[in-house]
Amino acid sequence: MRRMRVAAVCGAAVMTAVGGMAVAPAAGAVSAPAADLAFHGSAAMSGGRVAVRFTPYRLGTGAVPEATALVRLRLSEALADRQALPERCARAGERIVMCRVGALDADGVGEPVGLRVRLRGAPSEVLVEFDTVRTGGAAGTDRGNDQQRVLVLDTGDSYHF
């Protein structure tokens, strides 16, 4: 029961932090803006701290309106309890951080997102998975281009995706 309350509070916090929009598309939505995105960047880990930097790219025609898409980072290791995250990012669970992408023009490049997270303990590696979460009924035509995975070893080296 406690986990359900924590999940509900985390979900409400994410909705507030990322613009107060529900992540699931509205029932009965007929036309949806396209939100085909890709993102490229790097990740490094040292002493249980993971630094991630990525840039979102809009693929194809049509713009992506503000807060139409979010990037979800899923980590294979649990986050430390307290985190200092950038203003456009919010914790969404024990191993998840969500970040707003912002508006993107057709074939446009978005603002780079940089964040550092602390993990519980001091794992020797962490798998970071990135994917796009569409909001407000936004749709993507190619789900394969907005998913990335990178295995980051605790060496201080940067791993690019």
Side-chain angles (χ1 to χ4, degrees):
M1 183 67 160
R2 184 177 190 284
R3 286 184 189 213
M4 289 174 57
R5 276 186 263 145
V6 169
V9 169
C10 288
V14 169
M15 287 174 52
T16 300
V18 295
M21 294 172 45
V23 174
V30 177
S31 69
D36 259 342
L37 298 174
F39 24 86
H40 304 287
S42 63
M45 183 166 113
S46 179
R49 295 179 187 268
V50 179
V52 177
R53 184 168 181 83
F54 63 91
T55 303
Y57 294 87
R58 168 69 179 106
L59 304 174
T61 60
V64 174
E66 180 72 32
T68 299
L70 308 168
V71 174
R72 175 177 37 215
L73 288 80
R74 294 181 193 190
L75 296 103
S76 61
E77 297 292 330
L79 295 163
D81 290 334
R82 295 185 185 259
Q83 299 288 329
L85 297 172
E87 184 177 306
R88 62 200 256 192
C89 297
R91 189 170 176 164
E94 184 179 56
R95 299 171 186 209
I96 299 173
V97 174
M98 305 276 278
C99 295
R100 281 183 284 156
V101 171
L104 291 170
D105 293 330
D107 289 323
V109 177
E111 295 279 327
V113 176
L115 66 140
R116 295 177 187 268
V117 295
R118 289 180 299 110
L119 303 175
R120 280 194 202 141
S124 61
E125 65 184 37
V126 64
L127 178 65
V128 183
E129 297 178 287
F130 301 81
D131 66 330
T132 301
V133 176
R134 290 155 179 84
T135 64
T141 58
D142 181 0
R143 290 292 303 177
N145 63 12
D146 62 1
Q147 299 173 344
Q148 297 283 339
R149 296 173 71 178
V150 61
L151 179 63
V152 185
L153 305 178
D154 189 1
T155 61
D157 295 328
S158 289
Y159 297 87
H160 299 274
F161 54 91

